[in-house]
Amino acid sequence: MRHSWTPRSPRRAVTAAVAAAVLLPLSACGGGDDGGSTDASGKVEGKITFQTWNLKANFKSYFEGVIDDFEKEYPGTEVRWVDQPGEGYADKISADAAAGTLPDVVNVSPDLVAPLAKAGLALDLDKAAAKYEKEYLPGAWKSHQVPGTRGTYAFPWYLNTGPLFYNKRLFEEAGLDADKPPKTYDELFDAGLEIAKKSKGDIATLANVPTIEDFGRYGVPLMNKEGTGFTFNDAKGVELLTRYKKLYDAKALDAQALTATPESTGKKFLTEAVAMNPGSALDLEKFKKDAPGLYKNIGITPQISNTGKDNMYVMGVMVNTRTKQTPAAVAFAHFVTDAQRQMSFAKKVAIFPSTKGSLDDPYFTKPDGTDETRVRIAAAKSLKTAVNYTPVLFSEQMKVELRNAVAKALQGKQSPKEALDNAVKACDRLLQQS
């Protein structure tokens, strides 16, 4: 699979395995122009189409097995599985929605479900499938709710998150306690400035500029409750960006952070030029092989947060309101995302189930001495209380506006307040156009 997640972006993977295999936003075809019933209580029967995003290459047998099991459990059903290439998936959903050819069952990220919900194309599960809510983690169930509307518009599917790696040697050389890494932003900024000072600017602590998730973890209110405007330019937001500017000026934030990619920041950490970086179990294996000096000094710590809650990346499975087989579409969407199927899928790729109790399984709690399990346990623990900080109405264009504003502030071209005010204005304009 082309898409992936890291703690820096919902589109980046916590692992390269996920990068190669995981972001499966799904969709299924079958709904036409005629609206179907929103009543899911009828007999589960008929044909539906289930469309995945670039998955057959890696998970063909898994999904064929899921479909076979569903058709056996519900005689008289038939699930047609279609797999689409990864490029242009969001555009395809938009085109299908406009043409009335949106699939019956659609795997969506929260930002993709929002416009479909507002257009009346995403089935409200609070009305059609409320009995299933208790099966999922509360934070996951809420992740597909849209400000300004009432309802939940997708079953939670798999989750992802990731810890931070830090270089114990660099902390020790700066006179810091390597066994007590920063957990809050106050501690992070203090440590960053100290490391930069002791290294005379040679060692940065971070290689990434703040994203909307950082503003959320800092405790900044990101959007009003009505979903009509963004608020990350409030005093707390300005405070965060001002503190990042101080890091940047002190060389505690890497000079190339403005143009950094996950690959470039990973290389900086690998070469011990930065002290902290988001990572995964596969990174540990890479360190072990390519940078044994770094590997022996690796520390693992939760994401930096002032709220006590990590960021959660979540995918979901949506039912098209225009499907002509509502009971079958709802039943299949639930089937794909139930505890048994999620647990099975999680053991095939580095993702985490959104179902209650699944993260208590020994697979996510019992150490076995391997690096992969070490990271998996740390991530699973944080997910029980994690939230999706990125507003569902915060589009890719809006992320670009925020990134550009952050760059202007760090470079001194605008004050942090002016930069964030302009970003909010731009994002509000985009919001009104959507």
Side-chain angles (χ1 to χ4, degrees), residues 131-422:
K131 64 182 180 181
Y132 297 124
E133 178 181 354
K134 63 183 181 294
E135 297 178 20
Y136 301 90
L137 294 170
W141 185 263
K142 291 176 182 177
S143 64
H144 290 90
Q145 296 174 351
V146 181
T149 65
R150 289 185 178 182
T152 300
Y153 295 98
F155 284 102
W157 196 2
Y158 57 87
L159 311 175
N160 231 326
T161 190
L164 281 174
F165 288 139
Y166 68 101
N167 188 319
K168 290 185 175 182
R169 179 182 66 81
L170 296 180
F171 272 71
E172 289 170 351
E173 289 180 356
L176 300 173
D177 188 341
D179 294 324
K180 293 182 179 179
K183 298 187 181 303
T184 67
Y185 280 91
D186 284 349
E187 293 172 354
L188 173 67
F189 294 137
D190 288 346
L193 292 173
E194 191 64 21
I195 290 172
K197 179 182 176 182
K198 289 290 178 65
S199 68
K200 294 183 170 53
D202 288 340
I203 304 297
T205 296
L206 299 175
N208 299 286
V209 297
T211 64
I212 196 69
E213 298 139 25
D214 289 293
F215 283 82
R217 287 198 299 262
Y218 193 71
V220 179
L222 304 178
M223 193 171 201
N224 63 31
K225 292 181 180 178
E226 297 75 28
T228 57
F230 293 97
T231 57
F232 55 82
N233 62 332
D234 84 337
K236 205 165 185 63
V238 174
E239 177 183 281
L240 175 65
L241 188 50
T242 300
R243 297 181 79 177
Y244 261 92
K245 166 67 171 163
K246 187 175 181 181
L247 285 186
Y248 187 74
D249 290 344
K251 298 185 178 179
L253 180 63
D254 186 74
Q256 296 176 11
L258 298 176
T259 57
T261 64
E263 292 73 25
S264 67
T265 60
K267 188 173 182 180
K268 291 270 185 180
F269 186 73
L270 186 73
T271 58
E272 303 190 65
V274 296
M276 303 188 82
N277 201 56
S280 73
L282 289 186
D283 289 322
L284 281 177
E285 292 299 321
K286 182 176 179 61
F287 301 154
K288 194 174 187 177
K289 177 183 176 184
D290 298 341
L294 169 65
Y295 178 76
K296 70 180 183 180
N297 289 306
I298 282 292
I300 301 175
T301 190
Q303 297 171 22
I304 304 298
S305 174
N306 285 355
T307 66
K309 295 181 178 181
D310 283 2
N311 190 59
M312 168 197 296
Y313 302 111
V314 57
M315 297 304 298
V317 180
M318 185 200 94
V319 175
N320 180 5
T321 56
R322 294 185 176 181
T323 178
K324 295 179 180 178
Q325 304 293 348
T326 302
V330 170
F332 185 74
H334 172 254
F335 193 84
V336 171
T337 62
D338 70 13
Q340 180 182 339
R341 253 59 60 172
Q342 288 213 45
M343 195 67 210
S344 176
F345 194 48
K347 290 183 178 180
K348 295 182 180 297
V349 65
I351 51 88
F352 300 86
S354 62
T355 41
K356 283 182 182 175
S358 297
L359 296 176
D360 295 323
D361 187 277
Y363 183 70
F364 297 111
T365 59
K366 187 177 181 180
D368 61 8
T370 67
D371 291 328
E372 182 179 1
T373 301
R374 185 182 171 198
V375 175
R376 183 168 65 237
I377 290 172
K381 182 179 179 181
S382 74
L383 278 170
K384 290 182 180 181
T385 57
V387 296
N388 179 17
Y389 285 105
T390 303
V392 297
L393 297 173
F394 201 69
S395 68
E396 292 298 321
Q397 284 178 288
M398 295 172 190
K399 291 171 188 173
V400 171
E401 291 290 347
L402 177 57
R403 187 176 181 89
N404 289 342
V406 166
K408 288 176 183 177
L410 295 182
Q411 293 171 324
K413 295 178 180 178
Q414 293 180 356
S415 71
K417 185 177 189 321
E418 183 184 7
L420 290 180
D421 284 347
N422 289 337

Side-chain angles (χ1 to χ4, degrees), residues 26-31 36-51 70 74 76-80 102-107 121-123 125 128-129 132 136 153-155 317-337:
L26 306 159
S27 141
C29 238
S37 171
T38 57
D39 182 4
S41 63
K43 185 178 180 181
V44 176
E45 61 183 358
K47 296 181 180 180
I48 57 173
T49 303
F50 169 56
Q51 177 179 294
F70 179 79
Y74 296 99
T77 60
E78 182 180 333
V79 180
R80 176 172 169 256
L102 193 69
D104 296 301
V105 182
V106 187
N107 174 215
L121 294 175
L123 188 67
L125 301 182
Y132 297 124
Y136 301 90
Y153 295 98
F155 284 102
V317 180
M318 185 200 94
V319 175
N320 180 5
T321 56
R322 294 185 176 181
T323 178
K324 295 179 180 178
Q325 304 293 348
T326 302
V330 170
F332 185 74
H334 172 254
F335 193 84
V336 171
T337 62

